[in-house]
Amino acid sequence: MILVWKIWGAYVRLTARFPSVATLMPFVPVVGLWALVAHLELFPKVFFPSPLDVWRSFIDLTWKGILPDYLQDSVVRLAVGAAWGMALGIPLGVLIGMNRIAYRALWPVLLFLQAIGDIAWLPILVIWFGYGLVTMTFVIVYTVLFPVVLNTVLGVRSVPPVLARAAQSLGAGRWSVVWEVILPGALPNIITGLRNGLGYGWRALIAAEIIVGTSGIGFLMFDARRAGSVVEIFLGMIILGILWYIVDSWVLAPIERTTGQRWGLVTR
Amino acid sequence: MKGLTLRHLSKTYFDPYSGTRVDAIHDVSLQVEAGEFVSVVGPSGCGKTTILNMIAGFLPHSGGDILVGGKPVKGPGPDRGVVFQSFALFPWKTVLDNVAFGPKMRGVARAEREKIAREYLAIAGLSEAAGRYPSELSGGMQQRVGVVRALANDPDVLLMDEPFASVDAQTRMTLQEELTRIWAEKRNTVLFITHDVGEAVFLADRVVVLTKGRVLDEIKVGLPRPRKWDDANKDPEFQRLSAQVLEKVRAA
């Protein structure tokens, strides 16, 4: 028992020095179990490759340059879509959150459009724009837009009116109130919207690539299915998970730490 | 420094639930001279915060005039600094940036406005807290920042809406003493809203008793400054004035 505690203590100290250990360690038993199941050949090997097979395929596809190209295609599509989604969504959310007329005019339309899920647009988009970048970008922007708009509205409305009054009585005009009070006050919600939007957007992108793509991780997986290469399908799935983890912990979490959490607006 | 004039001020609400008009403020006239500290005291529901919100420009008034230095007010503006009961500090700005906010809105350059902010923080003994965020401060410290933020913008009139109501009793006394000390230096025109009779008398040159949207009485306070609670508690004149104001408020 004491030994267990000592090992646990050593592990905690190790993760304090190398935080990445804390990220990787939980996957050790998962990969171990996977390797064991593959080794025992509980399923036929063509349907259930081992971790080592997937690793070899990773090296192979990286070496040939296919994987880096596809990865870049997917990430750039997501980044462009997310940037447009934010550029449209945040101002729209602020407008709807602050202006009663805009709220009345746009809110029902937003809810209506939100209900037509992202890939439900694909049939008509393919007819309009064909199998290509425009169609995929549209789907991602559409998917990112709604969580950003809805959460921005929520954030704008959660800013205490007394803060806007305080700013006004210190000499702030309309735009200064938006820039200095409404936007920072709504920021924790905007980030939540962005986090949801990127998550949905990432999934929508993979779906769009599977259906209309000619490159990208989604295309890689669907193409592998056509060729009967289960290894590459596994590889694609693992890359999806890792990539999302990187976006979340390297981009979104640091923004949250330096804004809402630092200001005491969000409890840690 | 400018004075504040209320002339036949009134406020009527339309209550959509009862479908009737409600008179919140009837015909209030009040003159606060330049450099004078006036407390407005009254029971809750007497309309004192409504009056302050109208002077600040947060609410439109229904009748009469509100003049600062002889000019009618239109909406909120930096000539009337406000200290709020809920502090209303910007959580995403450091203490220094909160205090420098008014000068920033006036277009003062960064170095200059930070210098102004540091001067005012020093007056309130807050120099150490300049780089911290409001959520990292105690309630008493937060309201010191609130007072200093309003003063650093050099308003013609300072409006204070029960600013010390939400801090503990000991801190409140300290803050009241500090306010009289800082005010003795700056001599702003102050309108101070409170329901606490002792506070009203302790701080002010003149106490206005308000009831049901009307001015009931005004009482001059000639106590020497700077004021200390230890002295005030022993001073028969302070006790007499407090008793007199309390009697009016209770009759209200």
Side-chain angles (χ1 to χ4, degrees), chain B residues 204-219:
Chain B
D205 297 324
R206 187 152 52 99
V207 177
V208 173
V209 181
L210 203 70
T211 171
K212 296 184 187 120
R214 286 194 178 82
V215 174
L216 186 71
D217 208 350
E218 297 186 15
I219 292 131

Side-chain angles (χ1 to χ4, degrees), chain B residues 217-236:
Chain B
D217 208 350
E218 297 186 15
I219 292 131
K220 278 245 169 230
V221 181
L223 301 172
R225 293 179 183 272
R227 295 175 187 168
K228 295 269 179 211
W229 273 110
D230 289 342
D231 305 335
N233 283 331
K234 287 178 224 143
D235 184 348

Side-chain angles (χ1 to χ4, degrees), chain A residues 25-107:
Chain A
M25 203 53 118
F27 290 99
V28 170
V30 175
V31 175
L33 191 67
W34 172 18
L36 185 69
V37 171
H39 179 75
L40 295 175
E41 298 202 25
L42 294 177
F43 308 99
K45 207 162 167 47
V46 270
F47 294 148
F48 199 87
S50 74
L52 205 61
D53 294 333
V54 174
W55 176 253
R56 278 201 206 100
S57 149
F58 170 72
I59 298 289
D60 182 46
L61 287 178
T62 307
W63 186 251
K64 286 180 187 160
I66 295 171
L67 194 59
D69 281 357
Y70 280 9
L71 201 59
Q72 191 187 339
D73 284 350
S74 290
V75 170
V76 168
R77 281 169 197 158
L78 182 69
V80 170
W84 275 105
M86 273 169 20
L88 295 170
I90 295 173
L92 196 59
V94 170
L95 179 72
I96 294 172
M98 291 187 72
N99 186 303
R100 204 188 316 193
I101 296 168
Y103 178 83
R104 293 208 164 189
L106 296 176
W107 191 254

Side-chain angles (χ1 to χ4, degrees), chain B residues 54-218:
Chain B
M54 288 192 291
I55 300 170
F58 302 147
L59 284 179
H61 54 279
S62 313
D65 301 299
I66 302 171
L67 310 166
V68 172
K71 275 199 186 146
V73 307
K74 263 195 209 142
D79 54 331
R80 287 147 289 141
V82 182
V83 182
F84 298 87
Q85 184 179 347
S86 58
F87 316 150
L89 301 178
F90 306 121
W92 43 85
K93 290 181 182 293
T94 60
V95 166
L96 186 74
D97 287 341
N98 262 282
V99 178
F101 185 81
K104 183 181 182 183
M105 291 299 106
R106 284 205 310 269
V108 177
R110 175 177 287 274
E112 177 62 19
R113 65 180 187 248
E114 288 189 353
K115 188 171 149 258
I116 297 170
R118 281 184 203 287
E119 276 169 25
Y120 276 89
L121 286 173
I123 294 172
L126 285 165
S127 298
E128 304 291 310
R132 288 159 72 185
Y133 285 93
S135 65
E136 299 166 338
L137 306 180
S138 68
M141 296 258 279
Q142 289 189 38
Q143 194 55 304
R144 283 189 181 91
V145 177
V147 173
V148 157
R149 180 178 67 174
L151 285 173
N153 207 26
D154 200 20
D156 294 325
V157 178
L158 187 61
L159 306 170
M160 304 181 80
D161 184 13
E162 307 201 31
F164 306 142
S166 54
V167 297
D168 66 85
Q170 282 73 32
T171 308
R172 187 180 310 144
M173 293 169 96
T174 313
L175 289 173
Q176 288 159 350
E177 288 179 350
E178 281 178 14
L179 180 61
T180 63
R181 178 175 59 78
I182 294 170
W183 182 78
E185 270 179 52
K186 301 283 172 190
R187 290 276 165 177
N188 294 69
T189 309
V190 181
L191 189 73
F192 190 103
I193 304 285
T194 180
H195 62 262
D196 179 338
V197 169
E199 178 174 69
V201 175
F202 179 79
L203 293 170
D205 297 324
R206 187 152 52 99
V207 177
V208 173
V209 181
L210 203 70
T211 171
K212 296 184 187 120
R214 286 194 178 82
V215 174
L216 186 71
D217 208 350
E218 297 186 15

Side-chain angles (χ1 to χ4, degrees), chain A residues 104-160:
Chain A
R104 293 208 164 189
L106 296 176
W107 191 254
V109 180
L110 274 178
L111 289 185
F112 173 80
L113 289 175
Q114 190 202 14
I116 307 169
D118 36 45
I119 49 176
W121 277 89
L122 278 177
I124 191 68
L125 288 177
V126 166
I127 291 174
W128 286 346
F129 303 117
Y131 290 83
L133 190 61
V134 179
T135 300
M136 277 188 282
T137 307
F138 186 99
V139 169
I140 301 166
V141 173
Y142 192 87
T143 315
V144 173
L145 187 69
F146 290 100
V148 171
V149 172
L150 299 181
N151 280 284
T152 303
V153 171
L154 198 67
V156 166
R157 298 187 151 209
S158 72
V159 179

Side-chain angles (χ1 to χ4, degrees), chain A residues 170-183:
Chain A
L170 287 164
R174 185 188 300 248
W175 291 109
S176 294
V177 170
V178 171
W179 183 249
E180 301 273 0
V181 179
I182 303 298
L183 277 177

